[in-house]
Amino acid sequence: MITTASLIVFLAFYTLYYTSKKAVLSYDLGFEKWMQKNPKQTKITGLVLLLAAYGFWIFTKSFGCGTLLFFIQLMTVGSLIVVLTPLKKISRSSLLILFITIGLLEFYYS
């Protein structure tokens, strides 16, 4: 459940990052062009995803702990996206491997 919330936080911040006018954007994937052309729908989607991730954190943990962990994760994921996206270090295969590994570790240790 925490891995799912982490993935949703990543997707939410990534969609909100692509609506920024100051960000250095690359169009490696098709949906990135759509996000840049439709900023209003993308912002709504990003905010809904953020609320969903916050709901997952509150459901998984309690209100206080879930809120704290959500904001810690949002700051961590946000800074990584801002730093690594212009360097083109974020790819589909690396994200897939990362989230599969984290998911397996979560199920193994729970």
Side-chain angles (χ1 to χ4, degrees):
M1 196 73 158
I2 294 172
T3 306
T4 306
S6 302
L7 180 63
I8 293 172
V9 167
F10 174 81
L11 290 173
F13 197 89
Y14 196 71
T15 57
L16 292 173
Y17 175 77
Y18 263 82
T19 61
S20 173
K21 294 185 182 358
K22 294 181 181 181
V24 178
L25 305 176
S26 64
Y27 301 109
D28 297 335
L29 304 173
F31 69 92
E32 293 168 344
K33 292 179 187 176
W34 181 86
M35 287 192 295
Q36 185 66 24
K37 290 179 184 176
N38 302 313
K40 186 174 182 175
Q41 294 169 340
T42 304
K43 285 182 183 180
I44 291 170
T45 304
L47 291 174
V48 167
L49 286 172
L50 275 179
L51 287 173
Y54 184 57
F56 272 94
W57 274 110
I58 289 176
F59 179 72
T60 304
K61 307 292 182 189
S62 64
F63 181 73
C65 184
T67 302
L68 177 67
L69 290 174
F70 171 75
F71 283 114
I72 289 172
Q73 185 179 37
L74 185 64
M75 287 187 291
T76 305
V77 168
S79 62
L80 286 173
I81 287 175
V82 168
V83 170
L84 296 178
T85 300
L87 299 174
K88 297 188 180 192
K89 296 293 182 185
I90 298 176
S91 67
R92 280 189 275 176
S93 59
S94 64
L95 287 175
L96 185 66
I97 291 170
L98 177 70
F99 280 109
I100 287 174
T101 304
I102 291 171
L104 290 174
L105 288 173
E106 179 182 358
F107 286 123
Y108 180 74
Y109 285 110
S110 62

